[in-house]
Amino acid sequence: MLAGVIDRIANGGAEVRRVLIVDLRQESHAFVNDRAVSWCADRDWANVGYSPAWIARDEQCELEKLATAPETNIFTISKGAEGEIQVVGATPLHVTRAETEEMVVERLRSRFEVSYCRLHVTDHCAPEGETLRMFLQLLGNVAPTTWVHFRRRRLRLFHYDVRPDPTSKRWQMPLSEARWRLLESFRQYVFGGYGAGQPWPGPGT
């Protein structure tokens, strides 16, 4: 699917010379036999509190385990009302290829350069200030001929919209409202202070 997206960008934008893929997932994830999998916990918070370096090493350890013991189970899950994980099925799998998302991007072949950047954002939560600063630094170094691609898979496949629903009674609602307020502050900054060369002042300012 990712290769198909890159091909569509290549065919539709003659002025594009480079594609930058931005991965916002905090949880450990990989591609196993070209199938996207995650190591997850309740509320998708398996890696909360861990550093990006720790998460990268965790993913590498999982791949190393699959290399030495390729027979594994891929679990299908559902989530309860409070985000708790419930296993609803399992499929045995012989692993012939296991890669991180960054490794997949590295082996993509296209008529232009494809690169990868990961910003760790806790699911359902607002990004932290340091993450936003890294994002601004990243975009500040991007050439006009670069296509910046954010995966919108959640919204298309799972109808997951970051806009809070005022009628919702779900556990994520307070987190969604806080995230939306920060994103609105960030939007105002991008169209104001950022263009004037002012540093990101932080949320709520």
Side-chain angles (χ1 to χ4, degrees), residues 118-193:
R118 185 171 181 180
L119 301 174
H120 299 75
V121 180
T122 302
D123 270 16
H124 317 295
C125 298
E128 296 180 352
E130 184 59 29
T131 300
L132 290 174
R133 291 186 184 92
M134 291 173 61
F135 174 69
L136 288 169
Q137 183 179 14
L138 173 72
L139 291 190
N141 295 323
V142 168
T145 53
T146 299
W147 179 298
V148 183
H149 183 72
F150 292 85
R151 299 179 66 180
R152 300 181 64 189
R153 188 161 160 260
R154 280 187 182 276
L155 185 55
R156 288 209 304 264
L157 298 184
F158 305 111
H159 308 292
Y160 185 94
D161 197 336
V162 298
R163 291 172 296 185
D165 178 1
T167 66
S168 174
K169 303 297 183 183
R170 301 182 67 189
W171 67 269
Q172 302 102 318
M173 191 59 191
L175 299 172
S176 297
E177 291 174 336
R179 177 175 57 190
W180 192 251
R181 287 194 298 270
L182 183 138
L183 291 176
E184 175 59 21
S185 296
F186 187 71
R187 184 189 68 82
Q188 293 177 6
Y189 164 73
V190 167
F191 287 98

Side-chain angles (χ1 to χ4, degrees), residues 59-112:
E59 290 177 345
Q60 287 299 324
C61 287
E62 295 293 352
L63 298 190
E64 290 167 9
K65 285 192 288 186
L66 290 173
T68 57
E71 303 300 328
T72 190
N73 284 320
I74 302 295
F75 294 97
T76 304
I77 63 172
S78 67
K79 296 180 181 178
E82 295 298 318
E84 68 274 16
I85 287 177
Q86 301 167 347
V87 176
V88 297
T91 304
L93 184 69
H94 177 78
V95 179
T96 57
R97 173 185 284 172
E99 303 169 289
T100 64
E101 188 162 340
E102 185 173 13
M103 293 165 64
V104 170
V105 172
E106 287 177 350
R107 67 178 174 84
L108 285 175
R109 294 294 176 264
S110 175
R111 67 176 176 83
F112 45 53

